[in-house]
Amino acid sequence: MNYLQQSFTIKFEYKVFFTSGLFSPANPLFNDFLNGISTGNNPRKILFVIDQGFIDAGNDVITEIRTYFKVHHAVQLVPEIIMVPGGEIVKNDITYFDRIIEAVNTCKIDRHSYIAAIGGGSVLDLVGYAAAVSHRGIRHIRIPTTVLSQNDSGIGVKNGINYFGKKNFLGTFAPPVAVFNDQEYLKTLNERHWRSGISEAVKVALIKDPEFFLWIENNAGALVERDIDTMNYLIKRCAELHMQHIAGKDPFESGSSRPLDFGHWSAHKLEQLSDFEVLHGEAVAMGMALDTVYSNLSGHLTDTESHRVLDLLIKLGFEISHPIMQISANNSAILSGLEEFREHLGGELTIMLLNGIGKGLEVHQIDNEILIQASGYLKGLHLESSKA
């Protein structure tokens, strides 16, 4: 046999910074970071893409950015600041991707320059994808503005947009060069978006850290009451656990194992079938509820443990069921999510269940009859909690 073989390893490294008043002229963090990356003699530029929903919530970040770069000069600010809508619409409509690519071209953003995204997870996904494919990779900076993006999606290595009606059909694994979490950005979130991101912390605690789950139980009231210090701890611990997972054996998900996707197979389908009226974190809460009860009914999780999970989700203010999630012999639209999840995984269905609080269990088959039972149980519990 006559052939050549090559093997090499690439090291990825990035920091997640926690700060307050990122673009205050008195805060040198952002400028110091840009100064600290060595490069050639050519002038470097930075292009900002901002979530319109973040601006609409009362944040004057455009003025702050322009003022900041009048004081700090590590890179050249591109005058055009691109505004895009937040939420799944920005991932569903290819014109927003095209607009960013066009700006890269017309503003001459090269591989030593930066594209910074400010917004929720959907905007970060879109901009990260555009940065990854432009010139085969432009330095990408993420500035998450929601709980969900600060503790989960914004600190990972995934980027993508929706295509063919399927979530994240187009995408890349490309780490950012840095992530900046500003606690001030959380204060303008509405109640739904404040609560939504907490579900991802519950998720990672359930599959990886029983002590963190207990902490969330003990601090659920403070989280609901929007205590910023409590939320800061939740975000940082959730981000830490997420990053520890990324540093494991399969950061780019070449296998079929997806432990961080606990509760997600039905959540992704619920988002799509609800025309994205259900927020991602809300859908994940319902997906976790379904898979928790399934874990219980299939003999992997005790009644007490199952009740703890459901009670916490309800205490945090989540709905645990939805008409679309109610599975029966005559209503199985959500089940198509299993097939789409299998396809997304690369052929072998791998679903994360619970074998205890903080203990994940992977299975490769799902019993539809048990799913119907789990769905029916949650429907009853949902109706009961709604009357309370």
Side-chain angles (χ1 to χ4, degrees):
M1 185 177 295
N2 186 14
Y3 65 92
L4 298 173
Q5 180 170 320
Q6 175 65 283
S7 176
F8 58 89
T9 300
I10 300 175
K11 180 180 180 180
F12 291 98
E13 181 176 284
Y14 61 97
K15 291 182 173 67
V16 178
F17 296 96
F18 297 86
T19 189
S20 180
L22 177 63
F23 292 113
S24 167
N27 187 347
L29 176 64
F30 197 72
N31 191 70
D32 287 350
F33 167 77
L34 294 172
N35 264 330
I37 298 182
S38 60
T39 186
N41 296 322
N42 292 331
R44 296 173 297 160
K45 300 178 182 179
I46 186 166
L47 169 69
F48 279 91
V49 182
I50 303 178
D51 188 326
Q52 181 67 55
F54 180 62
I55 300 296
D56 293 343
N59 298 283
D60 193 15
V61 70
I62 296 178
T63 299
E64 292 173 0
I65 289 171
R66 295 195 191 283
T67 301
Y68 190 86
F69 281 92
K70 288 178 182 178
V71 176
H72 300 286
H73 308 288
V75 299
Q76 177 185 338
L77 174 66
V78 173
E80 178 188 5
I81 293 179
I82 300 176
M83 307 294 296
V84 296
E88 287 293 320
I89 184 175
V90 82
K91 294 175 64 173
N92 288 332
D93 189 339
I94 196 72
T95 59
Y96 298 112
F97 169 79
D98 291 339
R99 184 179 172 192
I100 297 171
I101 297 298
E102 182 179 358
V104 169
N105 182 49
T106 58
C107 298
K108 301 187 184 304
I109 305 298
D110 60 34
R111 298 187 69 205
H112 295 287
S113 293
Y114 304 86
I115 302 178
I118 303 177
S122 294
V123 171
L124 302 185
D125 280 354
L126 163 71
V127 180
Y129 178 54
V133 298
S134 298
H135 299 306
R136 297 195 179 106
I138 295 172
R139 294 168 174 171
H140 176 44
I141 296 173
R142 294 182 186 153
I143 305 174
T145 60
T146 64
V147 173
L148 180 63
S149 56
Q150 287 196 4
N151 72 2
D152 185 87
S153 58
I155 51 89
V157 297
K158 298 179 183 179
N159 312 281
I161 59 175
N162 306 330
Y163 211 72
F164 296 131
K166 297 180 180 180
K167 192 172 178 71
N168 298 322
F169 186 85
L170 297 178
T172 61
F173 291 102
V177 294
V179 181
F180 293 86
N181 280 348
D182 188 335
Q183 69 172 16
E184 295 300 314
Y185 292 164
L186 304 178
K187 296 179 180 179
T188 56
L189 294 174
N190 64 30
E191 294 300 323
R192 285 184 71 190
H193 284 91
W194 172 276
R195 179 177 60 246
S196 179
I198 300 174
S199 67
E200 293 287 359
V202 175
K203 173 205 72 178
V204 75
L206 279 172
I207 62 173
K208 288 183 175 291
D209 191 341
E211 292 183 3
F212 186 36
F213 183 83
L214 178 61
W215 181 90
I216 299 173
E217 285 182 307
N218 292 335
N219 289 274
L223 290 167
V224 171
E225 292 168 6
R226 297 178 66 114
D227 181 79
I228 193 64
D229 290 335
T230 307
M231 179 58 84
N232 282 339
Y233 177 84
L234 177 137
I235 286 172
K236 191 168 185 179
R237 180 57 181 155
C238 183
E240 182 180 27
L241 289 168
H242 193 130
M243 293 179 74
Q244 286 174 3
H245 174 78
I246 294 170
K249 297 180 179 180
D250 191 19
F252 291 173
E253 297 180 351
S254 57
S256 294
S257 177
R258 298 287 192 280
L260 293 182
D261 278 344
F262 171 63
H264 280 57
W265 73 264
S266 57
H268 285 168
K269 195 63 182 176
L270 172 58
E271 288 179 85
Q272 179 191 349
L273 292 174
S274 71
D275 198 22
F276 299 97
E277 170 61 28
V278 178
L279 299 178
H280 178 72
E282 296 170 337
V284 168
M286 296 181 212
M288 287 192 297
L290 181 63
D291 287 353
T292 294
V293 176
Y294 183 96
S295 298
N296 172 239
L297 295 178
S298 58
H300 300 295
L301 197 66
T302 67
D303 291 347
T304 299
E305 291 169 324
S306 180
H307 291 153
R308 281 181 67 189
V309 177
L310 299 179
D311 288 346
L312 176 59
L313 293 174
I314 292 171
K315 187 175 182 180
L316 289 169
F318 288 110
E319 303 287 345
I320 56 172
S321 187
H322 187 282
I324 295 173
M325 294 283 283
Q326 292 162 14
I327 306 168
S328 67
N330 299 319
N331 178 25
S332 58
I334 199 73
L335 291 180
S336 62
L338 280 172
E339 173 59 23
E340 291 180 11
F341 199 68
R342 180 199 64 75
E343 180 182 335
H344 183 68
L345 294 172
E348 181 182 28
L349 180 66
T350 303
I351 298 294
M352 177 61 67
L353 297 179
L354 296 179
N355 201 31
I357 302 295
K359 298 178 181 178
L361 170 71
E362 291 184 344
V363 301
H364 302 289
Q365 291 182 331
I366 291 293
D367 187 317
N368 287 0
E369 290 302 316
I370 297 179
L371 269 182
I372 291 173
Q373 293 177 44
S375 172
Y377 176 82
L378 289 172
K379 178 182 179 181
L381 189 62
H382 171 72
L383 294 173
E384 182 180 321
S385 64
S386 298
K387 294 176 182 178

